[in-house]
Amino acid sequence: MAAKKKTNKTSGFSKYIRWFWMLFSSGILAIALVFLLASWGFFGEMPTFEDLENPKNNFASQIISSDGEILGKFYFNDNRTPVDYNELPQHLVDALIATEDVRYHEHAGIDARGTIRAFVFLGKRGGASTISQQLARQLFVGVRSRNKFQAMTQKIKEWVIATRLERQYTKEEIIAMYFNIYDFGNNADGIRSAASIYFDKKLMDLDVKESAMLVGMFKNSSLYNPREHRNPVGTRNRRNVALSQMNKNGYITEAVKDSLQKLDLGLRYTPQSHRDGTATYFRAYLQGFMRKWVNDKANRKPDGSKYSIYSDGLKIYTTIDTRMQKHAEEAVALHMPRLQAEFFHQNTAKRNPTAPFLELTYGAIDTLLRRSIRQSERWRHMKYDLKIPDEKILSSFNKPIKMSVFSWEGDIDTIMTPMDSMRYYKSFLRTGMMSMEPQTGHVKAWVGGVNYKHFQYDMVKQGKRQIGSAFKPFVYATAIDQLHLSPCDMLPDIPFCIEKNKYGNPEEWCPKNSGEKYGGYRTLKNALANSVNSITAQLIDKVGPQPVIDLAHSLGIEQGILSVPSIALGTPDLSVYEMVAAYSTFANKGVYTRPVMITSIEDKNGTILFQLTPETKDVLSEEVAYVMVNLLEGVTQYGSGVRLRTKGADAYRTDFREIITGYPYEFTNPIAGKTGTTQNQSDGWFMGMVPNLVTGVWVGAEDRAVHFSSITYGQGAAMALPIWALYMKSCYDDAELNVSTEDFEKPDNLSIELDCEKYQGNLKKKGITDDDSEIDF
């Protein structure tokens, strides 16, 4: 009887055991079935093997400088630049693992312990999403649904995709992908952009507390955002949670945690946009170049589709040097506000009733402004996009509206009519500046204006302005090349005319010297140094305008030039870009090198898509080029550029007027250059050369009717030369740049005499004595 009871109890217990295993097995099978159904796409589309192999991310194209810095990026919505795992600071990785997935290296995509804890405590003691699951959600699943059933199916998909990711990638690759994919807000897509935007740092330069803050933002970058109008207090608290987790898991000590938690966020918010940052005008030019490049059928992807400069993560390697670019932008920012202040001082309503215009009637000013209205972006948008009638558009230009306008002290929020704002902006002087290595053609600095946000027209390549006396070296070079002249050859400094119909001249041309001063004989070197018009006129009469034009075109001048003698004094409208390339030929021993801005383009995997092929051509003999350099050195030795040598106080610390009389540059090294000043002082130029760097600067206003009233302030030596000098001083102070202080290299077997003391013997041959000459050797 007892044995029978015992047998019944045993069989009953066995039944429970069987039920337990049946339920357990059913649960395992159910889970397996759910995973299988999910992988078949029963709960929604799942990524293919190819999708996992190549996740579809939008990566910004990077603009990389010659010294390895990121100048900027091209992107629409995603300012994302990928990083490899080895580019991540170790404390950043530690903060992520400690805060988001402490058992990351122990699981294969799903943390079983964390998942059970989340179910048991309903998520009150932390969630169960691993880094791999969070990456799966970011890449393929999307925002969590509020519908409970959909949220559960999303979770299942995350589990499946996470396990696939773990099989497809290493742990390190998954971490790098997670940092790359996350949106930190404020255009900070990915960890590299976040480091730059929130702390103005390179990724590897982040410290522990900064890494902890960024990892803390993974919780919710919209909620835990450090910017003042968002949630800086919550962000700091969240950062301190990450620091506590790092301490708890042995990554930092208690003392380090306590000290770091007391510190502020240390935010250095540096927004990135296409209108801010370094080399904005150059980046705008580059954007246009890249658009043409991707539209060229020769530059297609392997599948035949076009590259996108905004989402394909191209790497565009440029010749711009960030250090030289910074020096150039700082030179503009130092000189132009003071020049502008003097312009405003001279153009008050009392001093000039038609300010900022000179020599225009009120009717002519009204016509100019109406023409500017029809050329404005506001007009284009209202007429062609909104289809508004012309009368209403014109009327809108006289209605006050809120706007932010430019000033050198910062943007001003004001209420102004668009017409008044247009007149206001026309009163500002603009500038264009480019610096290039003559031997390689590499453009090292490009400043197309004073502020890209408010003045987007690029005055390096896009804008062309009258060149003035800076054109004269092309006349001299033609004469030296054709007539084998020496800088010591002399011509009479007398009034000179070229008769009507000669060289197609429509009427007699009689240029006047500045101040109508004449007298004696001048050497070519002295005449060019002092921009003597009478001598230049005689030279173009000897060679004719067309050979000068032919030389100019061979030197890279693209603009068509009218074949008349008056071009000798610089009537053509040319760009800074063209002028720098042309002058570089003199410094490069007569070899023209087309300016180079891009050295190569790579795709996101490092495959080279484009590589520079330099374009050069022989234009002048080495001897003629060197003679031209020698002539242009005279400009800075005793001509219009002599103030580069002048000793004086640091006038920039006081008042602009002192700059006119005291130039604190004191350059002692060889410098060749040429100033240029146009009629009525509308345009001021300075072209400056040392053996391995040629730089051109233009200064003027948008309209030629806006200019200084006197040559004192309106000449190239006062408007443009100071920018060149400030830039070069900064370049010389930066020893790593290796800007030359040496002599220009003299060619062997030079047959043209450059020593005017030795050339004295020629005076007797020409019947000229020292008594009737005004010669400055």
Side-chain angles (χ1 to χ4, degrees):
M1 190 70 176
K4 186 176 180 180
K5 286 182 179 181
K6 186 174 182 179
T7 300
N8 290 338
K9 286 181 179 180
T10 301
S11 62
F13 182 73
S14 297
K15 181 173 67 175
Y16 290 128
I17 293 295
R18 285 195 303 273
W19 274 107
F20 170 79
W21 284 110
M22 288 173 63
L23 289 172
F24 181 78
S25 299
S26 298
I28 295 296
L29 290 172
I31 292 172
L33 179 62
V34 167
F35 270 76
L36 190 61
L37 290 172
S39 65
W40 288 343
F42 183 80
F43 300 122
E45 185 179 358
M46 295 290 284
T48 65
F49 175 83
E50 289 75 16
D51 292 332
L52 291 172
E53 185 72 22
N54 297 290
K56 291 181 174 61
N57 293 324
N58 290 331
F59 291 121
S61 291
Q62 302 175 65
I63 307 166
I64 303 171
S65 70
S66 62
D67 54 323
E69 301 291 333
I70 295 178
L71 283 171
K73 303 174 186 178
F74 295 135
Y75 60 91
F76 277 137
N77 297 314
D78 295 338
N79 178 21
R80 182 175 290 105
T81 306
V83 298
D84 295 328
Y85 180 82
N86 57 14
E87 297 178 76
L88 300 170
Q90 186 59 48
H91 51 69
L92 181 66
V93 176
D94 295 341
L96 176 67
I97 292 174
T99 307
E100 296 293 326
D101 191 354
V102 70
R103 285 179 292 277
Y104 176 68
H105 289 290
E106 299 171 13
H107 62 68
I110 301 173
D111 181 3
R113 289 170 56 185
T115 301
I116 293 171
R117 182 195 65 227
F119 273 116
V120 172
F121 296 100
L122 302 178
K124 294 181 180 180
R125 295 191 180 181
S129 290
T130 64
I131 292 172
S132 304
Q133 287 175 238
Q134 293 179 48
L135 176 61
R137 181 166 67 248
Q138 292 278 342
L139 286 174
F140 303 110
V141 179
V143 179
R144 178 80 74 235
S145 173
R146 294 186 177 182
N147 180 285
K148 291 184 178 180
F149 175 76
Q150 289 181 347
M152 178 56 68
T153 59
Q154 284 180 320
K155 193 69 176 178
I156 293 169
K157 289 173 66 176
E158 286 175 21
W159 286 338
V160 174
I161 296 170
T163 57
R164 288 185 178 181
L165 287 171
E166 289 274 352
R167 290 197 301 269
Q168 191 77 23
Y169 297 99
T170 66
K171 290 284 188 180
E172 291 75 16
E173 288 172 332
I174 289 173
I175 285 179
M177 290 171 68
Y178 187 45
F179 275 118
N180 282 328
I181 195 64
Y182 195 75
D183 180 0
F184 291 87
N186 298 305
N187 281 333
D189 300 301
I191 192 65
R192 191 193 296 275
S193 294
S196 176
I197 288 175
Y198 289 118
F199 298 109
D200 194 21
K201 284 186 174 183
K202 294 180 180 178
L203 183 56
M204 287 301 295
D205 294 334
L206 291 174
D207 60 31
V208 175
K209 65 178 175 56
E210 292 164 347
S211 292
M213 189 205 87
L214 294 175
V215 166
M217 292 177 71
F218 280 119
K219 182 81 171 177
N220 185 330
S221 62
S222 180
L223 176 62
Y224 298 109
N225 194 290
R227 293 196 63 195
E228 186 174 343
H229 67 282
R230 294 289 185 86
N231 187 11
V233 175
T235 305
R236 179 176 175 176
N237 293 338
R238 183 63 191 163
R239 177 204 68 181
N240 289 348
V241 168
L243 290 170
S244 295
Q245 287 297 106
M246 292 180 75
N247 167 243
K248 177 181 177 181
N249 291 285
Y251 292 113
I252 59 175
T253 65
E254 186 86 15
V256 169
K257 180 206 74 171
D258 291 342
S259 64
L260 293 180
Q261 286 182 336
K262 296 175 183 177
L263 298 176
D264 291 333
L265 292 174
L267 194 69
R268 291 187 62 188
Y269 182 62
T270 310
Q272 292 181 356
S273 76
H274 302 303
R275 295 188 176 188
D276 298 307
T278 303
T280 46
Y281 290 91
F282 172 75
R283 283 154 41 199
Y285 158 78
L286 190 62
Q287 187 175 38
F289 173 90
M290 290 302 300
R291 283 173 177 167
K292 292 180 181 178
W293 186 86
V294 298
N295 285 322
D296 189 333
K297 292 182 179 179
N299 304 318
R300 291 287 191 261
K301 294 180 182 180
D303 63 3
S305 63
K306 291 197 297 186
Y307 285 99
S308 168
I309 65 173
Y310 304 107
S311 60
D312 277 334
L314 302 176
K315 294 181 179 179
I316 308 161
Y317 292 91
T318 73
T319 60
I320 297 293
D321 187 297
T322 56
R323 298 159 297 183
M324 299 175 81
Q325 181 69 30
K326 179 182 177 182
H327 296 328
E329 292 179 2
E330 288 176 346
V332 167
L334 184 56
H335 176 66
M336 290 303 292
R338 283 142 173 92
L339 186 65
Q340 188 68 53
E342 179 58 32
F343 184 80
F344 284 149
H345 175 75
Q346 295 185 22
N347 278 273
T348 61
K350 184 177 181 180
R351 291 187 174 93
N352 178 18
T354 59
F357 307 102
L358 287 169
E359 299 138 5
L360 288 184
T361 65
Y362 289 106
I365 292 172
D366 184 61
T367 300
L368 185 153
L369 291 174
R370 282 181 172 269
R371 184 170 63 247
S372 297
I373 285 175
R374 293 176 182 272
Q375 295 171 345
S376 69
E377 178 61 24
R378 179 184 178 86
W379 174 277
R380 188 208 64 76
H381 174 63
M382 295 178 76
K383 182 175 179 65
Y384 299 107
D385 296 340
L386 303 181
K387 310 297 183 183
I388 297 175
D390 291 4
E391 296 77 15
K392 288 188 176 181
I393 299 177
L394 288 171
S395 176
S396 73
F397 272 80
N398 291 302
K399 293 180 180 179
I401 58 174
K402 291 182 179 180
M403 62 177 68
S404 179
V405 298
F406 170 79
S407 85
W408 277 107
E409 288 73 39
D411 288 1
I412 300 172
D413 293 326
T414 186
I415 297 176
M416 186 182 291
T417 69
M419 176 67 82
D420 286 339
S421 73
M422 185 176 296
R423 192 181 188 114
Y424 171 77
Y425 277 114
K426 285 185 179 296
S427 68
F428 279 92
L429 299 172
R430 319 289 179 86
T431 190
M433 176 184 182
M434 187 176 111
S435 193
M436 172 178 137
E437 288 180 349
Q439 292 78 23
T440 63
H442 287 191
V443 175
K444 310 308 292 183
W446 178 306
V447 183
V450 295
N451 183 290
Y452 185 75
K453 179 180 177 182
H454 294 282
F455 308 98
Q456 294 181 23
Y457 194 74
D458 173 43
M459 291 307 302
V460 167
K461 198 170 192 294
Q462 192 175 9
K464 296 178 185 288
R465 295 300 292 260
Q466 199 172 76
I467 189 62
S469 295
F471 190 85
K472 289 177 180 176
F474 306 149
V475 179
Y476 279 71
T478 304
I480 291 168
D481 188 37
Q482 289 191 1
L483 307 176
H484 205 67
L485 298 178
S486 164
C488 305
D489 274 314
M490 291 183 293
L491 291 172
D493 183 9
I494 58 175
F496 183 84
C497 293
I498 296 178
E499 63 267 24
K500 181 179 179 180
N501 295 327
K502 189 175 183 181
Y503 307 120
N505 207 33
E507 57 185 24
E508 186 180 51
W509 182 58
C510 301
K512 297 178 181 179
N513 284 347
S514 178
E516 298 190 46
K517 296 179 180 179
Y518 304 91
Y521 282 77
R522 288 181 182 269
T523 63
L524 296 188
K525 190 168 187 177
N526 177 279
L528 183 60
N530 293 283
S531 279
V532 181
N533 292 341
S534 63
I535 305 297
T536 310
Q538 293 176 63
L539 289 176
I540 201 166
D541 186 44
K542 291 179 182 295
V543 297
Q546 192 56 51
V548 176
I549 295 170
D550 292 341
L551 175 63
H553 287 156
S554 294
L555 293 172
I557 302 301
E558 300 168 353
Q559 183 74 17
I561 301 174
L562 189 63
S563 184
V564 293
S566 60
I567 64 169
L569 305 189
T571 55
D573 288 356
L574 304 177
S575 67
V576 173
Y577 173 90
E578 292 171 297
M579 289 298 291
V580 171
Y583 270 67
S584 291
T585 307
F586 300 141
N588 194 32
K589 303 179 181 180
V591 179
Y592 168 78
T593 303
R594 182 178 293 276
V596 174
M597 284 73 77
I598 303 170
T599 55
S600 63
I601 301 171
E602 295 179 359
D603 67 13
K604 64 182 179 181
N605 299 315
T607 303
I608 296 176
L609 307 176
F610 165 84
Q611 198 150 26
L612 164 74
T613 302
E615 296 182 42
T616 64
K617 62 179 176 180
D618 294 335
V619 176
L620 296 168
S621 69
E622 187 175 346
E623 181 180 47
V624 172
Y626 183 76
V627 171
M628 282 307 305
V629 168
N630 181 266
L631 279 168
L632 292 168
E633 283 184 294
V635 175
T636 68
Q637 291 168 347
Y638 47 78
S640 57
V642 71
R643 59 194 67 196
L644 290 172
R645 311 290 185 184
T646 305
K647 182 178 181 180
D650 190 352
Y652 278 96
R653 304 299 179 192
T654 53
D655 182 75
F656 178 73
R657 290 179 179 80
E658 296 182 27
I659 299 174
I660 300 301
T661 56
Y663 285 77
Y665 308 132
E666 299 182 71
F667 290 101
T668 58
N669 57 289
I671 298 171
K674 186 70 187 78
T675 56
T677 306
T678 60
Q679 191 173 14
N680 295 335
Q681 301 79 237
S682 297
D683 302 276
W685 292 78
F686 184 72
M687 306 298 302
M689 305 188 295
V690 296
N692 66 350
L693 195 66
V694 177
T695 304
V697 183
W698 165 86
V699 173
E702 179 183 1
D703 295 289
R704 288 189 170 95
V706 178
H707 58 81
F708 281 103
S709 59
S710 73
I711 194 71
T712 303
Y713 297 95
Q715 61 180 301
M719 290 205 292
L721 178 145
I723 293 176
W724 186 93
L726 291 166
Y727 166 69
M728 290 299 291
K729 283 189 74 71
S730 295
C731 287
Y732 281 129
D733 289 341
D734 194 338
E736 292 183 358
L737 296 177
N738 295 316
V739 177
S740 174
T741 58
E742 307 301 320
D743 288 323
F744 289 88
E745 186 177 348
K746 187 175 182 179
D748 297 330
N749 303 317
L750 185 66
S751 64
I752 297 176
E753 183 58 65
L754 303 180
D755 188 339
C756 293
E757 295 292 340
K758 294 180 180 179
Y759 205 73
Q760 286 278 358
N762 288 342
L763 295 177
K764 295 180 181 179
K765 296 179 182 179
K766 296 184 178 183
I768 302 170
T769 66
D770 293 343
D771 294 333
D772 60 6
S773 64
E774 291 184 5
I775 305 168
D776 187 347
F777 295 128

